[in-house]
Amino acid sequence: MTVISQRQAALVCLIFFHACLLSTANPWSQQHPVPVPAKLNQSLNLLALQQEFLTNFTTNIGEIFSNFDFDGFGNETKCTAKLTELVEGIISGSLSQESIAFLDALGKPGPGITLGNFMWLGNYEMCGKGALATAGNKYQNCVLTGTLYLGYYPLNLTWTGCSPPECRDKDDFQNIFKQIAALINKSGMIHTDPASWNAQCDVDEEFDVGAYAAVTVISIFGFLVVVGTVWNLLEPIIVSFMERNRDDTTVLVDAEEEGTEGQDAPANSRKYATSNQPESFIVRFLKCFSLQKTMNTLFSMETKSGQILCLNGIRVLSINWVVLGHTYIFSLSYTGGFYLGELIKRKNFMLVLNGTPSVDSFFALSGFLVTYLLLKQLAKRGGLSPLQWMAFYLHRYLRLTMPYLVAMLVEGWLYKLVMTGPRAQLVSSGPQNAHDMCEKFWWTNVLYINNFVPWKTAEACLGQGWYLANDMQFFFVAPIFISLLFWRPMVGLAGTLGGMVCSAVTAAIITAHYKLGPATISDSNQDDFWLMYNKPWIRITPYLVGILGGWFYWKWGDEIKKGVKTLPEWLKVMSATPIWLVTAAIQYAVVFGLYDDVQDQMQHQKAAKEADSVSYQSLARIAWSLSLTIQILLCQCGLGGFINSLLSWNGWLVLSRLTYSVFLLHIGLLTVYGAQMRHVLFLNPDFEFAVLYLGLLAMSYLAAAVLYLTVEQPVANLEGITYRKSA
């Protein structure tokens, strides 16, 4: 999409806003020339305004168009001549088939304007068809975006329609923007700045270097999956054929290697093998990509002794919570109303507004697992050699980076080639679009420094990658704390606690100095995000709590479990219940404790007290992750009861293996969904959103299964045959 849509948007904008201007009898605009509404429904008699608008719109449409000053464009161009032709046809009533189709395809003010419905989507399918494709000159779909201010209250307009082929010059649209701004600003109650307006029109997207790279990488993985799967299926036949032609190297062995000398194994338990030719590396390499092998891993229900099963349930519930929050946040930008103002009144909506503890859960789980597993290795080996430490880091890097890289290639270079819809070009070519951001900053993701470069994460490739950058940075420094806890426990304990204190103090200082709110949702200009949310010196506290939890479980877990087994059931319940209640109450307070502050800010523009903001920003992450870690320990030590049974259910196993890929892919799917929408999304009643959320969640898991089977697990298999021996 280029800039064409502005012409149409300009025309319709004139219709709506000049209609409001023509409402000369509107007493509100005369008495309050510079309104500062705290809440739209309280500041305006919106029902009356809507009725007045509809009346003026229907009775004065000709006058509205006649007030559009085409002389303001300066020298006549093909674009202005075409617009003049279309407008004169509307004014005179002699509409041609072309002008009828043009008006029909144009987005129009819909219901709910007084509630904030400023998303006016046209008929995307009409562009370039029928009367809008005369003499081979096709109209193109364009989208206009701009910010209008009702006093100081911003209204974000999205307008789409079909642009005539004559309008392709940016200067034409800049002049139209000025015309629109002049007409709107005359009203006295609505104003705008032409600089805030932007237009994007459909263009034929072409393959660039990044797109070719994406297709190449995906093709290579696809080829290996096909070859590996075919080989795995045909291997018994091939080996059998080869062995029958090499009698000197063929021996019959029992399938389970339990046959005895001089006895034949049962016929149904024999297989062919070569006694002097081990499986070649190329065969083992190809088998890493076999769907038979990767699907067996994905759908396996086997568990190992000592495995921390409750983490599976926590992992799945946490990623589902992340997807819930992102679905709501992204969907609100596709709605035709101020639903946020109504949703924030509901206390349960704090799960969305303040859903950031879901990410802290992953940091805590990561720290817990890394510590527990590494301490077991240190105890077993008495330390790690330099080669083993290198394998330790390389293992992590490869496991995370390959699926991450494929997700970046798909979202940054391929999605824009397949997206179609009224808003598609705005998403694929608008400001901070995924393609441009990935083209500029993909290397920061690969190096896991994208939470620093660029400093503003909104400009990053794959926005959710800030979490992976933090997690990788924590992983690289974790052995320092873990080694100290292993060799010098008191020093390690003091160092880990000191790191938590330093992080909390840093959060408090930044919050007080920059006068930030208690959480990300409290900061309208997102300074909180750049300064706090994605920076490792703030987010490391849950990871450090997880490290302490993993160390505690490694050191005393077995002893506690033995002691718990000797207790009667009633005593287990009596001792564990208070701990569960206290930790659950703390978690409830972390998520829902900001409800009153949110109401004061959103409803009354009353900022939270500095003491509240400082205490929450410095302590909330510690409180959440500490409570979660204690709950994990309770589950593992035999004090989890039915909660442990729920979290350790084998049904979580498959989904838990997909959580990383779900995290990588779900935002891209949300973006594609929004770009291709042909209608305004209304989130009331809740049933509609439930369908949207569950549908997106299911698609995310399905896409994640594809990424897992073709990239994530094959890379894990390959890493296993090359580096595990040195670990």
Side-chain angles (χ1 to χ4, degrees), residues 560-580 634-642:
I560 295 175
K561 282 190 283 187
K562 291 178 182 178
V564 169
K565 287 181 180 179
T566 64
L567 299 177
E569 287 299 320
W570 67 268
L571 187 54
K572 292 180 183 178
V573 174
M574 292 293 291
S575 58
T577 299
I579 303 177
W580 277 106
L634 289 173
C635 289
Q636 284 304 110
C637 294
L639 297 174
F642 74 92

Side-chain angles (χ1 to χ4, degrees), residues 443-455 465 469-470 473:
W443 58 274
T444 65
N445 296 65
V446 174
L447 295 177
Y448 292 94
I449 59 172
N450 47 296
N451 56 338
F452 292 112
V453 182
W455 187 259
N470 278 276
Q473 292 157 14

Side-chain angles (χ1 to χ4, degrees), residues 219-425:
S219 298
I220 290 173
F221 275 102
F223 174 77
L224 291 173
V225 168
V226 171
V227 173
T229 303
V230 171
W231 172 262
N232 213 26
L233 292 173
L234 298 181
E235 183 184 27
I237 301 174
I238 297 173
V239 170
S240 177
F241 174 79
M242 293 174 63
E243 293 304 319
R244 281 197 295 267
N245 288 276
R246 284 196 277 172
D247 295 335
D248 57 325
T249 60
T250 302
V251 295
L252 280 171
V253 297
D254 184 85
E256 297 179 0
E257 300 181 358
E258 294 180 352
T260 58
E261 185 176 355
Q263 294 179 343
D264 287 336
N268 61 357
S269 65
R270 297 176 181 177
K271 67 178 181 179
Y272 283 99
T274 55
S275 59
N276 58 356
Q277 291 188 357
E279 204 169 43
S280 66
F281 177 80
I282 187 63
V283 171
R284 288 182 292 152
F285 176 85
L286 290 175
K287 283 185 176 181
C288 290
F289 294 87
S290 168
L291 284 177
Q292 184 178 1
K293 184 180 180 69
T294 55
M295 290 182 72
N296 286 341
T297 303
L298 175 59
F299 294 106
S300 173
M301 292 295 166
E302 295 181 3
T303 58
K304 299 178 181 179
S305 176
Q307 192 172 347
I308 307 175
L309 296 177
C310 65
L311 299 187
N312 294 324
I314 296 173
R315 193 178 289 117
V316 173
L317 294 176
S318 296
I319 194 63
N320 291 354
W321 188 4
V322 170
V323 176
L324 174 71
H326 287 159
T327 303
Y328 248 118
I329 291 171
F330 275 69
S331 298
L332 286 172
S333 64
Y334 307 145
T335 63
F338 294 137
Y339 290 110
L340 184 60
E342 297 300 321
L343 290 172
I344 60 174
K345 297 177 183 177
R346 296 159 47 171
K347 196 162 189 176
N348 61 358
F349 195 65
M350 292 300 296
L351 286 168
V352 173
L353 280 180
N354 197 28
T356 57
S358 59
V359 181
D360 293 325
S361 297
F362 281 107
F363 283 133
L365 295 183
S366 184
F368 190 102
L369 275 175
V370 168
T371 303
Y372 177 67
L373 296 176
L374 184 55
L375 285 172
K376 288 178 65 177
Q377 288 295 314
L378 291 174
K380 178 181 178 181
R381 301 171 184 269
L384 299 181
S385 67
L387 184 60
Q388 289 168 336
W389 278 116
M390 185 173 66
F392 172 80
Y393 285 113
L394 189 59
H395 161 77
R396 180 74 169 185
Y397 183 83
L398 291 176
R399 289 287 296 272
L400 293 184
T401 304
M402 290 310 300
Y404 190 20
L405 180 61
V406 171
M408 281 192 293
L409 289 171
V410 170
E411 185 168 335
W413 282 275
L414 295 187
Y415 275 165
K416 71 168 190 171
L417 300 176
V418 299
M419 285 192 297
T420 60
R423 302 175 70 255
Q425 199 65 26

